[in-house]
Every structure is written in C-alpha cells, then in structure tokens.
C-alpha cells in the first residue's frame, strides 16, 4: 500500500514532534518555516528539502498527500485553506482556528476541494479519557448531573518572551493555546452548551500577554448537565492539575493528573471502569510541560482514513464547536467586570 506523504509547515517544537510521527507512519518529504534556521535544521535532520514560503512549498511538492499545519494559531485558517485549495489534505494542530468564522471557511474549503481536513485533539487517546467516553456511550453513569473541569498550569514570562505566544492575533488566549483539549472533551462528553457565564482576569502576566491568565466559567448544557471550568496559567512554578470530574446517577469519576493522564477517582454501581493505568509521558519543552504524547495515534488514524476510508476520530465540526464554545466563554466574560 502506498505510503502517505507528509509535508510540515511550521518547524518549531510541535513541528518536530510531527516530523517523528510523519516518518514513522508515512514519509516526510519536505518542511517549511518563514524562519530559515528552524526549517534548515529540521530538513537537515531528515535529509529533506526546505522552504521559507508556503506558496513555494505548495507549488513544488506536488507529490505530497497531506500538509501538516504546525504554525501559530492565528495562521491555521489561512494556511489550511491555501493547502486545501491546492488539492492537499490538511492536518491542522489545535486549535483549529481562533474564530468560528474561520473554522467555517476551512470546512467550506475542504468541502469544495473534496479533501480531508483533519484536526489534532490527541488527548482523546488518553486511556482514562477513552474509558470514560466508553462509559458515557454505554450509559454507565445513568443520568448525568454535573461536571467540573480544572486546568491549573504554569506558563511564566519566559514562555512569552520574544514569541507569538501571548498575542491576541496569533495566540488568541489560554483557552485556545493551553486548554482547548478540555473544551473539546466538554463538547464530546456533554454536547451542546446552552448558556455560559464567565469571569476572566490577568492577575500575574500584565506585562507579557494581551489577554487573561485565569478565568472561571459556569455552563449549562442542552441535555441539562451543569458544570464549571477553572482555568489558569498561574500555578506556582509547575503545572498542578488538569482534571475533569463527572457526577452521575450511577457513578462518579475524576480524570486527573497534570494533563488528564490518570483515573484519580472512580465509584460506579457497575464496578470499576479500569484498573491501574501505566504512566504516560507528557510533551516536554524547554521550560514547561504539555499534554500527553499521543500524536502517534493521530497519525495512525490519518493514515487509516486515507488508505482504507476508516472514519477519522475527530470531525471538523467538533473542532468548530470547540472554538465556538471558547468564543462564547470570552464573550460572556467581556459582558461583566471581573475586578
């Protein structure tokens, strides 16, 4: 069976993660970055051509099957649409975009081109997340009552220094860059959100970011479930917690750890969902830790979809809904004073 051929746009830390998986599950044929040094360095590592212009890449690497977008959030929409219109499939890192309007444009471009628009939400492959999703699908919780999402990470001034991170245009906010995985699971687990109230505040990063560094939200879903989100990048020195707790008629569960990597608590009428979960490593960067390393499973499913027609694990509509909920949280916070 023909190998799927990938080209990567954006040669930063996450682009390097994608390069490893592209080689393992297919063939990496080219890389691109507007900064010559990271593009050249990644290209030399894999003995590949590199480009400093996305237009040149799209024009010259015509044997590529998938363009992988690993650039700043605010560029995802424009670059995905460029690639789709040139006839390539697209795999875009989270978040899909920083506006729901842009997500719609991306989906329209994919439909017009007949190509796939794949989105990265690798935390869905965390073992505890998969176990809880299965329990929800099988109605093991019975009637759902409420949920609590807690996202307490650390991002210091060094993370934002001389970077696109922290800018409204290219970053968008901590719900986009740090915590969109949690909003994705909110939608996948509980469905449409009916009403939202929220407060946000920049408590400790006033000199280095253009948006909030912490916030709280109260949500009511269409199915009657209510819940809260507490999100912050002010945890002292290191990430403290990334968790999701669900209370239901026949069970309670907490997916915990730093990055939704443990089944911290479970009590069900039907017995345990699963036993001990082997430890899994997060993505390690220079000064901080990210989510679990599940990009291998993302690539495995991209290849399966393109080679066999197996449905991809996440839909563009789910990516759109994640962005839409984040926008609604921010709009709700703008309507009130948090100070």
């Amino acid at each position: 069976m023909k190998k799927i051929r990938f080209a990567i746009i954006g040669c930063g830390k996450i682009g390097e993660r994608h390069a490893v998986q592209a080689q393992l599950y297919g063939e990496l044929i080219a890389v691109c970055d507007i900064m010559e040094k990271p593009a050249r360095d990644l290209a030399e590592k894999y003995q590949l051509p590199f480009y400093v212009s996305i237009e040149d890449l799209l024009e010259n690497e015509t044997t590529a099957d998938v363009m992988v977008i690993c650039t700043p959030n605010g560029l995802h929409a424009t670059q995905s649409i460029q690639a789709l219109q040139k006839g390539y499939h697209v795999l875009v890192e989270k978040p899909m975009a920083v506006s729901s309007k842009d997500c719609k444009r991306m989906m329209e471009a994919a439909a017009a081109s007949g190509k796939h628009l794949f989105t990265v939400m690798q935390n869905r492959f965390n073992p505890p997340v998969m176990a809880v999703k299965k329990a929800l699908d099988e109605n093991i919780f019975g009637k759902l009552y409420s949920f609590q999402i807690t996202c307490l990470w650390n991002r210091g001034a060094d993370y934002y220094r001389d970077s696109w991170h922290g800018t409204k245009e290219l970053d968008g906010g901590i719900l986009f860059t740090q915590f969109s995985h949690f909003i994705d699971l909110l939608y996948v687990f509980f469905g449409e959100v009916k009403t939202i109230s929220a407060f946000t505040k920049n408590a400790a990063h006033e000199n280095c970011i253009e948006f909030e560094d912490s916030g709280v939200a109260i949500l009511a879903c269409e199915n009657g479930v209510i819940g809260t989100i507490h999100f912050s990048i002010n945890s002292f020195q290191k990430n403290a917690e990334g968790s999701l707790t669900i209370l239901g008629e026949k069970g309670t569960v907490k997916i915990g750890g730093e990055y939704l990597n443990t089944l911290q608590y479970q009590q069900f009428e039907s017995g345990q969902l699963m036993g001990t979960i082997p430890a899994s490593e997060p993505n390690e960067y220079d000064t901080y830790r990210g989510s679990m390393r599940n990009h291998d499973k993302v690539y495995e499913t991209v290849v399966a979809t393109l080679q066999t027609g197996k449905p991809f694990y996440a839909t563009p509509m789910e990516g759109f809904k994640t962005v839409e909920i984040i926008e609604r949280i921010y709009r709700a916070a703008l309507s009130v004073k948090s100070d």
Side-chain angles (χ1 to χ4, degrees):
M1 196 172 289
K2 172 183 172 292
K3 279 189 174 182
I4 302 301
R5 295 163 69 87
F6 296 92
I8 292 175
I9 301 168
C11 298
K13 295 294 184 183
I14 195 64
E16 294 173 6
R17 302 283 187 204
H18 279 265
V20 172
Q21 304 306 328
Q23 281 287 74
L24 285 174
Y25 287 91
E27 182 181 359
L28 180 61
I29 65 168
V31 298
C32 174
D33 198 292
I34 59 171
M35 304 289 288
E36 182 174 333
K37 187 179 187 308
R40 183 186 297 276
D41 289 349
L42 192 58
E44 288 179 352
K45 182 175 181 178
Y46 292 97
Q47 296 297 297
L48 304 170
F50 73 90
Y51 297 84
V52 293
S53 160
I54 184 174
E55 290 79 13
D56 289 346
L57 171 70
L58 297 177
E59 287 294 335
N60 288 287
E61 296 298 335
T62 56
T63 63
D65 299 298
V66 183
M67 291 291 164
V68 184
I69 311 297
C70 297
T71 51
N73 304 342
L75 302 178
H76 288 181
T78 299
Q79 293 176 341
S80 294
I81 291 168
Q82 281 181 274
L84 289 163
Q85 290 177 339
K86 283 290 187 179
Y88 300 98
H89 302 290
V90 166
L91 173 62
V92 60
E93 256 295 344
K94 60 83 185 166
M96 185 171 163
V98 291
S99 79
S100 55
K101 183 183 294 184
D102 279 346
C103 291
K104 287 181 179 178
R105 291 174 51 230
M106 294 163 74
M107 291 189 288
E108 288 166 358
S113 68
K115 297 297 181 179
H116 287 280
L117 175 60
F118 300 112
T119 58
V120 176
M121 281 295 172
Q122 81 271 14
N123 276 8
R124 292 200 200 178
F125 292 108
N126 294 10
V129 171
M130 295 178 70
V132 171
K133 180 61 167 68
K134 184 173 183 288
L136 288 166
D137 291 344
E138 295 175 355
N139 198 33
I140 288 174
F141 285 88
K143 182 181 179 181
L144 295 176
Y145 296 146
S146 61
F147 65 86
Q148 174 179 291
I149 295 173
T150 306
C151 315
L152 306 179
W153 284 6
N154 170 272
R155 295 293 183 271
D158 286 348
Y159 174 81
Y160 294 103
R161 189 169 289 120
D162 301 323
S163 171
W164 59 271
H165 290 117
T167 65
K168 190 66 176 174
E169 180 182 3
L170 293 179
D171 184 323
I174 64 175
L175 284 177
F176 285 115
T177 301
Q178 276 72 49
F179 303 127
S180 57
H181 292 292
F182 296 83
I183 307 302
D184 171 65
L185 294 181
L186 186 161
Y187 179 73
V188 170
F189 282 6
F190 310 115
E192 297 286 347
V193 176
K194 185 177 181 180
T195 58
I196 299 174
S197 298
F199 294 94
T200 59
K201 182 176 183 177
N202 188 336
H205 293 74
E206 291 182 353
N207 297 320
C208 56
I209 66 176
E210 298 174 355
F211 41 73
E212 85 291 348
D213 63 11
S214 52
V216 293
I218 302 171
L219 306 96
C221 297
E222 295 282 359
N223 61 6
V225 179
I226 60 172
T228 62
I229 308 172
H230 178 196
F231 56 99
S232 178
I233 54 169
N234 292 332
S235 176
F236 184 63
Q237 292 187 342
K238 65 178 185 177
N239 296 349
E241 181 177 351
S243 68
L244 192 160
T245 303
I246 303 173
L247 305 182
E249 175 189 16
K250 298 179 181 179
T252 297
V253 72
K254 180 177 182 179
I255 308 172
E258 280 186 47
Y259 39 90
L260 296 170
N261 59 309
T262 68
L263 204 55
Q264 191 167 330
Y265 178 85
Q266 56 177 322
Q267 183 70 28
F268 287 91
E269 181 181 276
S270 59
Q272 286 197 331
L273 298 185
M274 59 192 305
T276 303
I277 300 169
S280 182
E281 294 299 317
N283 285 314
E284 296 279 0
Y285 301 102
D286 292 338
T287 58
Y288 65 96
R289 289 154 67 101
S291 299
M292 284 181 72
R293 296 177 182 176
N294 288 329
H295 282 80
D296 56 329
K297 298 174 181 63
V298 175
Y299 274 80
E300 183 181 353
T301 52
V302 166
V303 169
T305 297
L306 295 178
Q307 289 184 339
T308 70
K310 178 183 177 181
F312 192 61
Y313 74 96
T315 68
M317 179 56 68
E318 290 166 347
F320 162 79
K321 286 293 184 179
T322 295
V323 171
E324 182 184 56
I325 292 168
I326 292 172
E327 285 181 322
R328 291 175 62 192
I329 291 171
Y330 284 146
R331 281 201 302 270
L334 282 174
S335 70
V336 296
K337 288 187 180 293
S338 59
D339 293 321

